[in-house]
Every structure is written in structure tokens, then in C-alpha cells.
Amino acid sequence: MDLTIVGCGYVGLTLAERLQPRRPKLTLKLTTTSSERLEQLSPLADQVEVCDATDPTQLLSALRKSSSAVFCLGPKGDRQVDANGYRHTFVDSFRCLKTLLPQLTDLRQIVYTSSCSVYGDAQGGWVDEQTPPKPSRGHGDVLLESEQLLSDIGDRRVCILRLGALYGPGRDLDRRLRGLAGLERPGSGAAYSNWLHVADAAGALEAALSAEWDGVVNVVNDEPIRLRDLVGRSLRRQGLATVRWLGQEEPGAGGRRIRNTRLKQLGYQLQHPSLDQSGVFAASQVP
Ligand SMILES: NC(=O)c1ccc[n+]([C@@H]2O[C@H](COP(=O)([O-])OP(=O)(O)OC[C@H]3O[C@@H](n4cnc5c(N)ncnc54)[C@H](OP(=O)(O)O)[C@@H]3O)[C@@H](O)[C@H]2O)c1
């Protein structure tokens, strides 16, 4: 397989590291938008190229000899970007890809890491891949439009992985939640969230490539968790004061519980089926 990973941030880099044992049989190309990262990425790949996926010349060069491409894009920088920033990263990149397809005759397989946020709020109900997406306006809309651009590609195998919220090394949940200790928060914390260890994001991507999955697949762990349980468990384990929820839930704040039945049917076995098993709430965090 000749694979290009477009976007080597948290997920793309974890995938590249995971694929190392498959080289040199696997020919791997990585992209970055910044020349400063070329040195960091070059030990992991046969080739590393500077590529902004909205630039047709750079994207064509990145994909020209590839049989498979994984798109792990995300807006650049730490700050929250608005919907236009999202649109530029995702929609403009996939529009660019579509214009190039006639020249990309070797490219047979495209895998894209989308997000479960396309489902929008389901008032705490269960959703699966058959549930019509109802994203919120703005960011969720853009992600759904991006998915549709790819789904409309008729003559290549396209797989869209809808990832849950990511955690793992470098994005430790306890550290992220510590700042809430002892605070008062609006609502009751009843909203569900759905989590995914980055190792499982990379694991599912590798499986999607190897077994040639197509269509939409939810990639989340087995346990949707209410915000109050997530925060409460983390703070207790760290020996910190819990949050006081003030009540009065906002309408449309129930979240959703994402089913991963299709992921299991495709044969994928989660390495981190729940947050507890992953060591996120590890007792070692207690001072
Ligand atoms: N993070 C989450 O919790 C989460 C949850 C659900 C779904 N997802 C999905 O997974 C994707 C990847 O997440 P992540 O956490 O790995 O994101 P990330 O760490 O922010 O990495 C995104 C990478 O995309 C590259 N990039 C940005 N704009 C680009 C462009 N125009 N052309 C080519 N590459 C570009 C950047 O490359 P350089 O750094 O080299 O410039 C960056 O490293 C998300 O965008 C989303 O669709 C993420």
C-alpha cells in the first residue's frame, strides 16, 4: 500500500507511529503545513511534504502516487476558530481534492476523520450511523458538508470515521478537568459526552485501511458518560473538591449517546473500552 496521511496532528501522528512496523512494505508519506515540522516527521516516513490541502499543486503532489489517503485535518492553532475557519480547512480541502481526482488515478481509498458532533443534540438519546445527522449551526454544519462532499465521490472507496472526543497522552482528561475543582456550574451536568482514546482512533484508522471499510462508522468507546459523572469521578480521584451544579438545564443540552455497534461488527476491538480501564482516572493521580 502507498499511503499518504494528510494532516499529522494528534491523530495523524499517532497513526503514523502505529504504522511503523508495517514499513518498508507500506510506503508512507506524511504532510504538514509547516516546514518547521519536516525534521520531526521525516524519521516516520519515506517522504514528508509541505502541503496545505486547499492548494491544488501541493495536494496533487502529496497524493499523486498514493493508493490510499487518510485526511486527519484540523484548523491550525490553539485558539477556537469560527465556522469560516472550519469551512476553509475542511470544505475547501475536499473541494480541492474533488477537482484533482481525474489526475489521481492510483488513489482508490479515502479515509476521513470526521466527528460525532454531526449528530447534534439528541436529548440524551442513542444515535447510530442510520440516525439522520442534525448538527448545530456553524461548526457541525461544516463537518457534515465535508462528509457529503466525500460521500458524493462515486468511483473511490470512501470511509468516514466519526470520532468521539479525543483523550490520551498529551490530552490527559484529569489535567483538563482539574480547573473545575470547587466551582459552581450552570445546569445539572446531565449531558452525555462520548470519548475515544487516541490509540483507538489510530487503531480504527489502520483497520479501515487494511480491511477496506466504507461508509460511515462511529468510533467511540463503550460508555457514553454524563458530564457530572466525568467531572465528579476525575476530581474525586484527584482528591479535589467536586463541582456544585446549580440546576436549570438549558434546552438542547442533553447530548447524545453514540452507538459503536457497527465498529464492533466490522471486527474492531477497542483497546480502551471505557475511561476507567484506560487509566484516565488512575489512582496514581491522587496526591
Ligand atoms: N480532537 C478531537 O477531540 C476530535 C474529536 C472528534 C473528531 N475529531 C476529528 O479528527 C480530526 C483530527 O483531530 P486532531 O486532534 O488530530 O487535530 P490536530 O491535532 O489539530 O491536527 C490537525 C492537523 O491538520 C493539519 N492541517 C490543518 N490545516 C490543514 C490544511 N489546510 N491542509 C493540510 N493539513 C492541515 C495540521 O498540520 P500541521 O500541524 O502540520 O500544520 C494539523 O497538525 C479533527 O479535525 C476532527 O475532524 C477530533
Side-chain angles (χ1 to χ4, degrees), residues 22-56:
R22 292 177 55 175
R23 296 174 63 203
K25 215 168 157 198
L26 168 79
T27 306
L28 187 58
K29 189 187 279 191
L30 306 178
T31 78
T32 171
T33 62
S34 107
S35 51
E36 290 94 72
R37 292 194 66 211
L38 290 172
E39 204 178 309
Q40 176 208 359
L41 296 174
S42 60
L44 294 172
D46 300 277
Q47 238 180 311
V48 185
E49 288 187 14
V50 171
C51 169
D52 180 325
T54 65
D55 178 317

Side-chain angles (χ1 to χ4, degrees), residues 71-265:
F71 286 83
C72 294
L73 302 174
K76 280 177 279 175
D78 291 336
R79 68 196 161 79
Q80 280 288 93
V81 295
D82 62 14
N84 284 334
Y86 247 57
R87 176 169 293 283
H88 178 66
T89 304
F90 294 102
V91 174
D92 292 353
S93 295
F94 293 140
R95 285 204 175 122
C96 181
L97 172 66
K98 285 186 92 162
T99 64
L100 297 173
L101 284 175
Q103 296 170 74
L104 295 171
T105 46
D106 291 338
L107 185 65
R108 294 193 310 272
Q109 184 183 33
I110 298 164
V111 184
Y112 162 51
T113 53
S114 181
S115 165
C116 286
S117 64
V118 297
Y119 289 112
D121 187 79
Q123 297 168 358
W126 285 97
V127 298
D128 64 17
E129 293 86 350
Q130 306 304 317
T131 309
K134 270 196 305 184
S136 57
R137 282 181 172 230
H139 296 76
D141 268 350
V142 171
L143 291 179
L144 185 59
E145 189 180 339
S146 313
E147 285 191 5
Q148 280 160 352
L149 277 167
L150 290 181
S151 302
D152 289 347
I153 295 175
D155 58 346
R156 320 288 160 112
R157 186 183 299 278
V158 172
C159 178
I160 294 167
L161 300 185
R162 290 182 177 155
L163 307 186
L166 293 169
Y167 71 96
R171 293 194 189 174
D172 175 69
L173 265 178
D174 280 341
R175 193 166 304 136
R176 284 152 77 183
L177 296 174
R178 205 168 287 163
L180 293 173
L183 297 184
E184 292 183 339
R185 304 295 293 172
S188 66
Y192 280 101
S193 55
N194 302 265
W195 293 87
L196 178 69
H197 195 285
V198 69
D200 279 315
L205 279 165
E206 183 180 14
L209 289 164
S210 304
E212 305 195 331
W213 297 356
D214 61 14
V216 174
V217 186
N218 294 334
V219 187
V220 292
N221 75 10
D222 286 341
E223 293 183 341
I225 185 168
R226 291 186 191 273
L227 183 59
R228 61 177 174 241
D229 296 331
L230 176 78
V231 175
R233 274 153 70 180
S234 171
L235 295 179
R236 268 194 303 278
R237 296 252 186 178
Q238 298 183 75
L240 298 170
T242 55
V243 164
R244 201 158 76 82
W245 298 97
L246 297 173
Q248 281 293 332
E249 208 65 80
E250 300 229 333
R256 68 245 146 191
R257 285 176 279 175
I258 310 286
R259 281 197 205 285
N260 59 12
T261 312
R262 180 158 193 235
L263 178 72
K264 303 274 180 73
Q265 283 168 346

